[in-house]
Amino acid sequence: MKKILSCIIAGFALVLMGCASGAKVSSSPAEIEAMDNLVSSRSFEITAQWARPMPSQALNSISNAGMLPNGSNASRVDINGNGSYLRVIGDVVKADLPFFGERQMSGGYDQQRTGIQFDGVPEDLQIEANSKTKGYTMRFSINNGTETFQVVAQLFPSRSSTFSIVSSHRAQIRYEGRLSEYVEEEE
């Protein structure tokens, strides 16, 4: 009985140590400096790769019917390659993102604008250093004429990013993507 109890306690201790000693991502001074320069330039974009919608029965039904892209499920949708972005250009923020989830309010009948889209000067744009991640936290709210969005983004020195959008008309959604310098395309 003592051996069994000792094995259980030892196993429990190993599990606790494993959880507490997870690999911490460290950033090099060069990555941190590049991140600082990128953010201070106020000319960057996050290219969204994954959408993380709030779980719902309707989304589960769509997933079970096989209507999501390959490799996706109801809680993580692959949006690589569809041009989804969140941009900061000076004092202006722009976004064109697909939306997966439920609407709480009607949003008009424009079939071309089913995703999250905005372009303008946000209210209360804040980009603050985050000492815990060595990156930045960006917050703002913006209105596109029919809907108001609250955005919170985490910008990491590894050039990965996550951001969440809370809408006045839709369920909350999160995105994951890659951070890069924004270079305006010449037409």
Side-chain angles (χ1 to χ4, degrees):
M1 183 67 168
K2 285 184 180 181
K3 285 185 180 181
I4 294 173
L5 188 58
S6 294
C7 287
I8 291 172
I9 292 172
F12 185 70
L14 285 174
V15 168
L16 286 178
M17 287 185 343
C19 292
S21 64
K24 293 185 178 178
V25 178
S26 62
S27 302
S28 71
E31 286 177 320
I32 294 169
E33 182 180 355
M35 177 69 161
D36 292 343
N37 293 336
L38 184 66
V39 170
S40 66
S41 76
R42 289 263 181 129
S43 183
F44 59 88
E45 74 178 338
I46 303 166
T47 304
Q49 298 172 316
W50 294 94
R52 306 286 305 243
M54 295 291 288
S56 70
Q57 183 61 41
L59 206 50
N60 282 332
S61 296
I62 290 170
S63 179
N64 291 338
M67 297 175 70
L68 294 176
N70 288 336
S72 301
N73 58 48
S75 63
R76 191 167 192 236
V77 182
D78 184 355
I79 57 173
N80 270 305
N82 74 354
S84 302
Y85 64 85
L86 171 65
R87 287 187 188 130
V88 175
I89 307 162
D91 292 332
V92 174
V93 293
K94 298 180 178 186
D96 190 357
L97 301 157
F99 178 75
F100 302 89
E102 295 184 359
R103 294 184 74 105
Q104 283 93 24
M105 295 179 69
S106 174
Y109 298 104
D110 185 355
Q111 293 179 354
Q112 302 302 315
R113 297 187 66 190
T114 58
I116 294 174
Q117 297 170 327
F118 51 80
D119 181 354
V121 178
E123 295 179 29
D124 305 322
L125 175 62
Q126 301 171 19
I127 303 176
E128 300 171 338
N130 184 326
S131 60
K132 186 175 181 180
T133 65
K134 304 287 190 241
Y136 289 84
T137 301
M138 177 174 66
R139 292 180 172 84
F140 63 88
S141 62
I142 191 165
N143 186 309
N144 70 358
T146 58
E147 215 170 337
T148 300
F149 303 98
Q150 301 287 327
V151 180
V152 177
Q154 299 299 325
L155 313 173
F156 302 105
S158 65
R159 298 292 177 107
S160 65
S161 179
T162 62
F163 59 98
S164 64
I165 299 180
V166 177
S167 164
S168 59
H169 290 49
R170 312 169 197 230
Q172 179 178 348
I173 188 167
R174 278 188 20 215
Y175 296 91
E176 298 171 359
R178 299 293 304 162
L179 180 65
S180 63
E181 179 181 3
Y182 175 67
V183 179
E184 195 165 352
E185 298 173 5
E186 294 184 28
E187 295 180 28

